[in-house]
């Protein structure tokens, strides 16, 4: 069974048809890409899949279960995490707290217990902290646990966001333009990091990315959308030589 299955998904914002009859499957542990010009509807797809938008039409199934109408924290609790095109970290909390808070914020761990400071609560707090520190270590961020994200270089902030997503134990991770704003040395590091995350955490990764180098070296399959419609899908090689894709990108550049 695929981990994610999307059937005829459509989204309309007032008079704008942002996405039309979008279909997609993601296999267990697969790495796939979603590409297309600016405004094509890529982030809209991720906002639908992660519960930030409710689709106008169509169906999203995560591990066989219909998640089309669930809220973001419910989707996260089922095992789907994401990062954002523009980093969304809590800037006035330490890096460690960004990961800890995600456990309550998105996984809804017992807030009632927190009020009473029960022993069960304290033990769970401890477990959460140990786990979050472990993820930070794995991501080479251990030394920044006490720092505020806003004081870190941009590339590290991106890595913290990835660590936070991983701290919720996802089986599918959505990355929205993870290489945006990175210099070319950082992009090479990111490619290695994403490949390592895929193998180490044994999870599926679906990424939106403008930098062809990233998707070409990581993804087994790519889907291309333009004006909310799928114009091509296939292996990176198929896509590179696809006339309609070349035209969509040249059109974008010409703008
Ligand atoms: N919440 C929203 N309300 C109205 N229009 C939106 C909303 N989100 C996205 N759009 C519009 O949908 C289109 C696709 O946007 P988006 O999915 O962000 O594109 P991409 O990520 O491919 O650049 C754009 O025209 C955008 O302005
Ligand atoms: Mg986008």
């Amino acid at each position: 069974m695929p981990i994610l299955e999307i059937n005829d998904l459509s989204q309309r914002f007032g008079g704008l048809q942002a996405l039309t009859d979008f279909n997609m499957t993601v296999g267990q542990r697969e790495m796939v890409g979603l590409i297309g010009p600016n405004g094509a509807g890529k982030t809209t797809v991720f906002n639908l899949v992660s519960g930030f938008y409710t689709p106008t039409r169509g169906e999203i199934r995560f591990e066989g279960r219909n998640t089309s109408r669930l809220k973001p924290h419910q989707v996260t609790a089922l095992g789907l995490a994401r990062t954002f095109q523009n980093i969304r970290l809590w800037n006035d909390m330490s890096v460690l707290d960004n990961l800890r808070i995600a456990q309550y914020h998105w996984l809804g761990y017992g807030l009632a217990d927190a009020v009473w400071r029960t022993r069960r609560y304290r033990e769970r707090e401890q477990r959460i902290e140990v786990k979050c520190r472990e993820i930070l270590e794995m991501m080479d961020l251990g030394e920044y646990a006490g720092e505020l994200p806003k004081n870190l270089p941009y590339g590290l902030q991106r890595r913290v966001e990835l660590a936070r997503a991983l701290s919720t134990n996802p089986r599918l991770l959505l990355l929205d333009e993870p290489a945006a704003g990175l210099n070319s040395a950082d992009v090479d590091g990111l490619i290695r990091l994403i490949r390592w995350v895929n193998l180490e955490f044994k999870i599926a990764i679906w990424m939106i990315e403008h930098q062809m180098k990233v998707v070409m070296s990581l993804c087994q399959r790519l889907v291309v959308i333009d004006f909310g419609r799928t114009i091509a899908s296939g292996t990176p090689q198929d896509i590179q030589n696809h006339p309609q894709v070349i035209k969509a990108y040249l059109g974008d550049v010409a703008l």
Side-chain angles (χ1 to χ4, degrees):
M1 185 185 29
I3 191 158
L4 185 74
E5 203 175 341
I6 297 177
N7 296 311
D8 292 330
L9 196 64
S10 298
Q11 182 70 343
R12 170 177 280 281
F13 299 111
L16 176 77
Q17 187 68 39
L19 191 71
T20 307
D21 295 334
F22 182 79
N23 290 286
M24 176 80 186
T25 58
V26 181
Q28 314 274 349
R29 298 192 193 183
E30 199 179 15
M31 278 210 274
V32 290
L34 178 62
I35 65 174
N38 277 327
K42 304 179 299 295
T43 296
T44 298
V45 171
F46 276 15
N47 282 335
L48 288 163
V49 172
S50 54
F52 285 82
Y53 297 160
T54 306
T56 312
R57 218 154 45 75
E59 190 187 63
I60 303 159
R61 286 191 173 272
F62 179 69
E63 296 181 333
R65 175 178 171 169
N66 187 342
T67 58
S68 317
R69 317 228 143 241
L70 298 186
K71 299 266 172 282
H73 69 272
Q74 296 173 306
V75 176
T76 310
L78 287 178
L80 194 158
R82 71 173 292 186
T83 63
F84 295 88
Q85 189 170 343
N86 306 305
I87 297 175
R88 288 196 200 174
L89 290 166
W90 293 295
N91 264 316
D92 297 313
M93 272 179 213
S94 70
V95 165
L96 176 65
D97 281 346
N98 265 270
L99 270 64
R100 284 176 28 182
I101 291 291
Q103 317 303 307
Y104 301 95
H105 191 72
W106 287 324
L107 300 181
Y109 280 151
L111 283 172
D113 280 344
V115 173
W116 299 104
R117 298 253 156 201
T118 60
R119 185 169 153 202
R120 198 176 56 162
Y121 166 77
R122 284 195 306 273
E123 284 171 359
R124 193 161 47 197
E125 275 284 272
Q126 197 116 62
R127 270 204 311 277
I128 286 173
E129 177 164 344
V130 167
K131 183 181 111 187
C132 292
R133 283 190 186 277
E134 203 175 275
I135 298 231
L136 288 175
E137 290 295 336
M138 289 174 87
M139 302 287 286
D140 251 347
L141 290 166
E143 61 186 298
Y144 307 108
E147 301 276 345
L148 299 182
K150 64 182 174 196
N151 295 334
L152 298 178
Y154 190 77
L156 284 182
Q157 292 185 28
R158 284 241 164 240
R159 216 189 309 158
V160 171
E161 216 195 12
L162 185 54
R164 184 177 63 181
L166 288 169
S167 76
T168 64
N169 290 333
R171 290 180 298 287
L172 172 61
L173 179 61
L174 309 182
L175 303 176
D176 195 346
E177 300 199 23
L182 299 186
N183 63 37
S184 84
D186 280 351
V187 169
D188 290 339
L190 179 79
I191 291 172
R192 285 193 298 273
L193 181 64
I194 294 175
R195 186 175 288 129
W196 176 81
V197 164
N198 173 243
L199 295 173
E200 178 72 24
F201 292 84
K202 301 179 171 58
I203 60 178
I205 299 178
W206 186 13
M207 69 192 83
I208 295 171
E209 187 47 66
H210 272 300
Q211 301 208 30
M212 286 303 114
K213 187 181 180 183
V214 178
V215 282
M216 292 296 164
S217 49
L218 288 173
C219 298
Q220 286 122 294
R221 274 188 308 125
L222 298 178
V223 173
V224 191
I225 62 174
D226 192 16
F227 297 110
R229 289 179 186 273
T230 301
I231 59 169
S233 65
T235 65
Q237 278 72 23
D238 294 340
I239 296 302
Q240 250 173 334
N241 302 316
H242 198 288
Q244 233 182 322
V245 175
I246 295 165
K247 192 165 149 241
Y249 272 94
L250 289 178
D252 192 37
V253 170
L255 286 174

